[in-house]
């Protein structure tokens, strides 16, 4: 995968969330034109995959990404960390799927985007 683009309502709030809560690093932040601002973030462990934040278009008129999924090593500890950071959890406890070989839990980003934790 190359990148996933997410329409945002507040670039500074979204950057703070993806950097401080999820640990992504900012690669660049720039204006595409007079009305659209872009920010590209990445995980240091996977620098080739980016999350692109877009500000400036009406969020309601764009297509919606169903969710972004992030790998974790300790689901319960990560859910507790998110809870302590004030993140809105969809799942307070992890769900087991695929014959109990995978744990998942959903939470929300600052723009209501659906985000998922995955522990294999």
């Amino acid at each position: 995968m190359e990148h996933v683009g997410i329409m945002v309502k507040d670039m500074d709030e979204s950057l703070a969330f993806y950097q401080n809560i999820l640990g992504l690093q900012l690669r660049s932040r720039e204006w595409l034109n007079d009305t659209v601002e872009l920010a590209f973030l990445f995980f240091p462990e996977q620098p080739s995959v980016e999350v692109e934040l877009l500000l400036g278009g009406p969020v309601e008129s764009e297509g919606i990404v169903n969710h972004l999924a992030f790998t974790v090593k300790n689901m319960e500890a990560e859910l507790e960390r998110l809870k302590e950071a004030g993140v809105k959890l969809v799942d307070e406890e992890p769900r087991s799927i695929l014959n109990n070989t995978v744990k998942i839990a959903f939470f929300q980003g600052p723009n209501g985007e659906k985000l998922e934790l995955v522990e294999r």
Side-chain angles (χ1 to χ4, degrees):
M1 180 168 78
E2 216 287 328
H3 75 273
V4 174
I6 299 175
M7 298 295 295
V8 301
K9 297 173 187 168
D10 181 317
M11 184 63 80
D12 292 327
E13 176 187 36
S14 295
L15 282 170
F17 178 84
Y18 282 92
Q19 291 177 290
N20 300 332
I21 301 297
L22 296 179
L24 281 87
Q25 292 184 1
L26 182 64
R27 184 175 312 250
S28 67
R29 183 176 180 178
E30 55 199 73
W31 287 90
L32 180 63
N33 54 41
D34 291 342
T35 59
V36 177
E37 183 180 15
L38 306 175
F40 294 91
L41 301 117
F42 67 97
F43 282 109
E45 307 83 32
Q46 292 180 295
S48 65
V49 179
E50 293 181 321
V51 173
E52 175 186 6
L53 304 179
L54 301 97
L55 173 71
V59 175
E60 299 79 22
S61 70
E62 296 291 330
I64 297 173
V65 172
N66 182 267
H67 67 278
L68 294 179
F70 303 95
T71 302
V72 296
K73 293 182 180 179
N74 184 326
M75 177 68 71
E76 290 76 8
E78 190 61 21
L79 284 171
E80 186 59 32
R81 187 185 74 78
L82 292 175
K83 187 183 228 177
E84 289 174 4
V87 173
K88 182 175 180 184
L89 300 179
V90 175
D91 296 313
E92 296 281 332
E93 299 291 327
R95 304 181 214 177
S96 291
I97 62 169
L98 303 176
N99 296 318
N100 294 322
T101 61
V102 178
K103 291 182 191 177
I104 64 168
F106 288 96
F107 62 104
Q108 285 188 354
N111 299 282
E113 63 267 38
K114 187 172 159 184
L115 304 170
E116 178 184 15
L117 301 176
V118 179
E119 180 183 336
R120 294 189 182 274

mmCIF file of all heavy atoms in Angstrom, residues 42-71:
data_model
loop_
_atom_site.group_PDB
_atom_site.id
_atom_site.type_symbol
_atom_site.label_atom_id
_atom_site.label_comp_id
_atom_site.label_asym_id
_atom_site.label_seq_id
_atom_site.Cartn_x
_atom_site.Cartn_y
_atom_site.Cartn_z
ATOM 1 N N PHE A 42 3.943 9.116 8.512
ATOM 2 C CA PHE A 42 4.397 7.738 8.340
ATOM 3 C C PHE A 42 4.861 7.173 9.676
ATOM 4 O O PHE A 42 5.144 7.916 10.610
ATOM 5 C CB PHE A 42 5.548 7.676 7.328
ATOM 6 C CG PHE A 42 6.804 8.340 7.830
ATOM 7 C CD1 PHE A 42 7.818 7.590 8.413
ATOM 8 C CD2 PHE A 42 6.964 9.716 7.747
ATOM 9 C CE1 PHE A 42 8.973 8.197 8.894
ATOM 10 C CE2 PHE A 42 8.111 10.329 8.217
ATOM 11 C CZ PHE A 42 9.117 9.573 8.791
ATOM 12 N N PHE A 43 4.896 5.856 9.739
ATOM 13 C CA PHE A 43 5.502 5.184 10.887
ATOM 14 C C PHE A 43 6.982 4.972 10.582
ATOM 15 O O PHE A 43 7.324 4.522 9.484
ATOM 16 C CB PHE A 43 4.860 3.816 11.132
ATOM 17 C CG PHE A 43 3.533 3.879 11.814
ATOM 18 C CD1 PHE A 43 2.372 3.593 11.119
ATOM 19 C CD2 PHE A 43 3.441 4.218 13.153
ATOM 20 C CE1 PHE A 43 1.143 3.639 11.743
ATOM 21 C CE2 PHE A 43 2.211 4.279 13.791
ATOM 22 C CZ PHE A 43 1.064 3.988 13.081
ATOM 23 N N PRO A 44 7.874 5.234 11.528
ATOM 24 C CA PRO A 44 9.299 5.010 11.288
ATOM 25 C C PRO A 44 9.602 3.571 10.862
ATOM 26 O O PRO A 44 10.501 3.340 10.062
ATOM 27 C CB PRO A 44 9.952 5.328 12.636
ATOM 28 C CG PRO A 44 8.994 6.253 13.317
ATOM 29 C CD PRO A 44 7.633 5.821 12.845
ATOM 30 N N GLU A 45 8.815 2.592 11.353
ATOM 31 C CA GLU A 45 9.050 1.187 11.015
ATOM 32 C C GLU A 45 8.553 0.844 9.609
ATOM 33 O O GLU A 45 8.907 -0.202 9.064
ATOM 34 C CB GLU A 45 8.339 0.257 12.007
ATOM 35 C CG GLU A 45 8.639 0.514 13.455
ATOM 36 C CD GLU A 45 7.784 1.639 14.051
ATOM 37 O OE1 GLU A 45 6.624 1.823 13.638
ATOM 38 O OE2 GLU A 45 8.305 2.364 14.906
ATOM 39 N N GLN A 46 7.687 1.684 9.038
ATOM 40 C CA GLN A 46 7.127 1.452 7.708
ATOM 41 C C GLN A 46 7.107 2.770 6.927
ATOM 42 O O GLN A 46 6.049 3.283 6.590
ATOM 43 C CB GLN A 46 5.704 0.913 7.796
ATOM 44 C CG GLN A 46 5.602 -0.478 8.353
ATOM 45 C CD GLN A 46 4.151 -0.920 8.412
ATOM 46 O OE1 GLN A 46 3.357 -0.351 9.140
ATOM 47 N NE2 GLN A 46 3.811 -1.920 7.637
ATOM 48 N N PRO A 47 8.270 3.332 6.621
ATOM 49 C CA PRO A 47 8.300 4.669 6.012
ATOM 50 C C PRO A 47 7.694 4.754 4.611
ATOM 51 O O PRO A 47 7.381 5.838 4.150
ATOM 52 C CB PRO A 47 9.787 5.009 5.992
ATOM 53 C CG PRO A 47 10.492 3.703 6.075
ATOM 54 C CD PRO A 47 9.596 2.791 6.852
ATOM 55 N N SER A 48 7.488 3.629 3.968
ATOM 56 C CA SER A 48 6.934 3.679 2.613
ATOM 57 C C SER A 48 5.410 3.787 2.591
ATOM 58 O O SER A 48 4.827 4.073 1.550
ATOM 59 C CB SER A 48 7.372 2.448 1.814
ATOM 60 O OG SER A 48 6.818 1.280 2.381
ATOM 61 N N VAL A 49 4.751 3.573 3.716
ATOM 62 C CA VAL A 49 3.293 3.668 3.792
ATOM 63 C C VAL A 49 2.934 4.964 4.512
ATOM 64 O O VAL A 49 3.396 5.202 5.622
ATOM 65 C CB VAL A 49 2.689 2.462 4.542
ATOM 66 C CG1 VAL A 49 1.182 2.600 4.634
ATOM 67 C CG2 VAL A 49 3.067 1.163 3.855
ATOM 68 N N GLU A 50 2.110 5.793 3.861
ATOM 69 C CA GLU A 50 1.771 7.086 4.427
ATOM 70 C C GLU A 50 0.275 7.222 4.714
ATOM 71 O O GLU A 50 -0.550 6.590 4.065
ATOM 72 C CB GLU A 50 2.156 8.219 3.468
ATOM 73 C CG GLU A 50 3.637 8.364 3.271
ATOM 74 C CD GLU A 50 3.983 9.497 2.334
ATOM 75 O OE1 GLU A 50 3.269 9.708 1.330
ATOM 76 O OE2 GLU A 50 4.990 10.176 2.599
ATOM 77 N N VAL A 51 -0.015 8.074 5.677
ATOM 78 C CA VAL A 51 -1.374 8.547 5.915
ATOM 79 C C VAL A 51 -1.365 10.007 5.464
ATOM 80 O O VAL A 51 -0.555 10.802 5.936
ATOM 81 C CB VAL A 51 -1.771 8.449 7.399
ATOM 82 C CG1 VAL A 51 -3.118 9.105 7.641
ATOM 83 C CG2 VAL A 51 -1.801 6.987 7.837
ATOM 84 N N GLU A 52 -2.251 10.325 4.518
ATOM 85 C CA GLU A 52 -2.347 11.688 4.003
ATOM 86 C C GLU A 52 -3.587 12.345 4.587
ATOM 87 O O GLU A 52 -4.690 11.823 4.468
ATOM 88 C CB GLU A 52 -2.459 11.661 2.476
ATOM 89 C CG GLU A 52 -2.682 13.017 1.857
ATOM 90 C CD GLU A 52 -2.929 12.943 0.360
ATOM 91 O OE1 GLU A 52 -3.042 11.816 -0.187
ATOM 92 O OE2 GLU A 52 -3.035 14.001 -0.251
ATOM 93 N N LEU A 53 -3.390 13.470 5.251
ATOM 94 C CA LEU A 53 -4.501 14.248 5.774
ATOM 95 C C LEU A 53 -4.773 15.388 4.803
ATOM 96 O O LEU A 53 -3.844 16.053 4.348
ATOM 97 C CB LEU A 53 -4.162 14.806 7.159
ATOM 98 C CG LEU A 53 -3.742 13.780 8.216
ATOM 99 C CD1 LEU A 53 -3.409 14.488 9.530
ATOM 100 C CD2 LEU A 53 -4.807 12.718 8.422
ATOM 101 N N LEU A 54 -6.058 15.602 4.466
ATOM 102 C CA LEU A 54 -6.454 16.641 3.523
ATOM 103 C C LEU A 54 -7.431 17.598 4.201
ATOM 104 O O LEU A 54 -8.450 17.160 4.727
ATOM 105 C CB LEU A 54 -7.151 16.050 2.302
ATOM 106 C CG LEU A 54 -6.370 15.041 1.481
ATOM 107 C CD1 LEU A 54 -6.722 13.632 1.869
ATOM 108 C CD2 LEU A 54 -6.647 15.271 0.024
ATOM 109 N N LEU A 55 -7.130 18.876 4.170
ATOM 110 C CA LEU A 55 -8.016 19.895 4.720
ATOM 111 C C LEU A 55 -8.397 20.849 3.602
ATOM 112 O O LEU A 55 -7.544 21.250 2.813
ATOM 113 C CB LEU A 55 -7.301 20.677 5.822
ATOM 114 C CG LEU A 55 -8.057 21.884 6.385
ATOM 115 C CD1 LEU A 55 -9.239 21.419 7.224
ATOM 116 C CD2 LEU A 55 -7.132 22.757 7.195
ATOM 117 N N GLY A 56 -9.670 21.189 3.535
ATOM 118 C CA GLY A 56 -10.053 22.214 2.571
ATOM 119 C C GLY A 56 -11.240 21.874 1.714
ATOM 120 O O GLY A 56 -11.879 22.753 1.164
ATOM 121 N N GLY A 57 -11.564 20.619 1.584
ATOM 122 C CA GLY A 57 -12.747 20.236 0.831
ATOM 123 C C GLY A 57 -13.853 19.887 1.792
ATOM 124 O O GLY A 57 -13.601 19.589 2.949
ATOM 125 N N PRO A 58 -15.087 19.931 1.332
ATOM 126 C CA PRO A 58 -16.181 19.533 2.221
ATOM 127 C C PRO A 58 -16.106 18.041 2.520
ATOM 128 O O PRO A 58 -16.170 17.212 1.620
ATOM 129 C CB PRO A 58 -17.438 19.882 1.430
ATOM 130 C CG PRO A 58 -16.997 19.992 0.017
ATOM 131 C CD PRO A 58 -15.543 20.348 0.033
ATOM 132 N N VAL A 59 -15.932 17.700 3.786
ATOM 133 C CA VAL A 59 -15.750 16.307 4.211
ATOM 134 C C VAL A 59 -16.926 15.447 3.770
ATOM 135 O O VAL A 59 -16.761 14.317 3.331
ATOM 136 C CB VAL A 59 -15.542 16.233 5.747
ATOM 137 C CG1 VAL A 59 -15.470 14.794 6.215
ATOM 138 C CG2 VAL A 59 -14.288 16.991 6.136
ATOM 139 N N GLU A 60 -18.132 15.998 3.845
ATOM 140 C CA GLU A 60 -19.331 15.222 3.533
ATOM 141 C C GLU A 60 -19.413 14.831 2.058
ATOM 142 O O GLU A 60 -20.085 13.885 1.706
ATOM 143 C CB GLU A 60 -20.593 16.003 3.920
ATOM 144 C CG GLU A 60 -20.689 16.317 5.393
ATOM 145 C CD GLU A 60 -19.812 17.504 5.815
ATOM 146 O OE1 GLU A 60 -19.449 18.347 4.959
ATOM 147 O OE2 GLU A 60 -19.465 17.573 6.995
ATOM 148 N N SER A 61 -18.754 15.582 1.171
ATOM 149 C CA SER A 61 -18.898 15.306 -0.260
ATOM 150 C C SER A 61 -17.866 14.323 -0.791
ATOM 151 O O SER A 61 -17.900 13.954 -1.952
ATOM 152 C CB SER A 61 -18.804 16.611 -1.058
ATOM 153 O OG SER A 61 -17.479 17.102 -1.030
ATOM 154 N N GLU A 62 -16.955 13.884 0.043
ATOM 155 C CA GLU A 62 -15.900 12.968 -0.391
ATOM 156 C C GLU A 62 -16.266 11.532 -0.068
ATOM 157 O O GLU A 62 -17.084 11.259 0.800
ATOM 158 C CB GLU A 62 -14.580 13.320 0.306
ATOM 159 C CG GLU A 62 -14.052 14.686 -0.057
ATOM 160 C CD GLU A 62 -13.583 14.774 -1.488
ATOM 161 O OE1 GLU A 62 -13.125 13.756 -2.050
ATOM 162 O OE2 GLU A 62 -13.670 15.866 -2.062
ATOM 163 N N GLY A 63 -15.612 10.610 -0.742
ATOM 164 C CA GLY A 63 -15.773 9.210 -0.392
ATOM 165 C C GLY A 63 -15.204 8.953 0.989
ATOM 166 O O GLY A 63 -14.393 9.722 1.490
ATOM 167 N N ILE A 64 -15.637 7.893 1.605
ATOM 168 C CA ILE A 64 -15.218 7.606 2.975
ATOM 169 C C ILE A 64 -14.382 6.337 2.992
ATOM 170 O O ILE A 64 -14.768 5.319 2.429
ATOM 171 C CB ILE A 64 -16.453 7.424 3.885
ATOM 172 C CG1 ILE A 64 -17.245 8.732 3.926
ATOM 173 C CG2 ILE A 64 -16.049 6.982 5.277
ATOM 174 C CD1 ILE A 64 -18.561 8.602 4.645
ATOM 175 N N VAL A 65 -13.233 6.405 3.628
ATOM 176 C CA VAL A 65 -12.428 5.216 3.890
ATOM 177 C C VAL A 65 -13.112 4.499 5.042
ATOM 178 O O VAL A 65 -13.451 5.117 6.051
ATOM 179 C CB VAL A 65 -10.984 5.606 4.287
ATOM 180 C CG1 VAL A 65 -10.205 4.393 4.742
ATOM 181 C CG2 VAL A 65 -10.293 6.293 3.124
ATOM 182 N N ASN A 66 -13.334 3.202 4.940
ATOM 183 C CA ASN A 66 -14.038 2.485 5.999
ATOM 184 C C ASN A 66 -13.255 2.505 7.297
ATOM 185 O O ASN A 66 -13.797 2.822 8.352
ATOM 186 C CB ASN A 66 -14.347 1.045 5.583
ATOM 187 C CG ASN A 66 -15.112 0.303 6.645
ATOM 188 O OD1 ASN A 66 -14.508 -0.360 7.480
ATOM 189 N ND2 ASN A 66 -16.424 0.457 6.644
ATOM 190 N N HIS A 67 -11.980 2.166 7.254
ATOM 191 C CA HIS A 67 -11.159 2.237 8.460
ATOM 192 C C HIS A 67 -9.685 2.094 8.116
ATOM 193 O O HIS A 67 -9.342 1.607 7.043
ATOM 194 C CB HIS A 67 -11.568 1.179 9.488
ATOM 195 C CG HIS A 67 -11.305 -0.229 9.075
ATOM 196 N ND1 HIS A 67 -12.141 -0.937 8.260
ATOM 197 C CD2 HIS A 67 -10.282 -1.074 9.374
ATOM 198 C CE1 HIS A 67 -11.651 -2.158 8.061
ATOM 199 N NE2 HIS A 67 -10.521 -2.253 8.738
ATOM 200 N N LEU A 68 -8.829 2.507 9.042
ATOM 201 C CA LEU A 68 -7.398 2.264 8.993
ATOM 202 C C LEU A 68 -7.081 1.288 10.111
ATOM 203 O O LEU A 68 -7.621 1.421 11.213
ATOM 204 C CB LEU A 68 -6.601 3.546 9.243
ATOM 205 C CG LEU A 68 -6.689 4.651 8.227
ATOM 206 C CD1 LEU A 68 -5.848 5.838 8.680
ATOM 207 C CD2 LEU A 68 -6.195 4.164 6.886
ATOM 208 N N ALA A 69 -6.205 0.334 9.866
ATOM 209 C CA ALA A 69 -5.851 -0.656 10.878
ATOM 210 C C ALA A 69 -4.372 -0.530 11.227
ATOM 211 O O ALA A 69 -3.534 -0.342 10.341
ATOM 212 C CB ALA A 69 -6.154 -2.064 10.370
ATOM 213 N N PHE A 70 -4.075 -0.639 12.507
ATOM 214 C CA PHE A 70 -2.716 -0.510 13.019
ATOM 215 C C PHE A 70 -2.358 -1.756 13.818
ATOM 216 O O PHE A 70 -3.128 -2.182 14.678
ATOM 217 C CB PHE A 70 -2.585 0.728 13.903
ATOM 218 C CG PHE A 70 -2.962 1.997 13.206
ATOM 219 C CD1 PHE A 70 -4.242 2.504 13.325
ATOM 220 C CD2 PHE A 70 -2.044 2.666 12.420
ATOM 221 C CE1 PHE A 70 -4.601 3.681 12.672
ATOM 222 C CE2 PHE A 70 -2.390 3.840 11.768
ATOM 223 C CZ PHE A 70 -3.669 4.341 11.896
ATOM 224 N N THR A 71 -1.184 -2.322 13.568
ATOM 225 C CA THR A 71 -0.702 -3.500 14.280
ATOM 226 C C THR A 71 -0.225 -3.109 15.680
ATOM 227 O O THR A 71 0.472 -2.109 15.840
ATOM 228 C CB THR A 71 0.480 -4.137 13.518
ATOM 229 O OG1 THR A 71 0.049 -4.465 12.205
ATOM 230 C CG2 THR A 71 0.987 -5.381 14.213
#
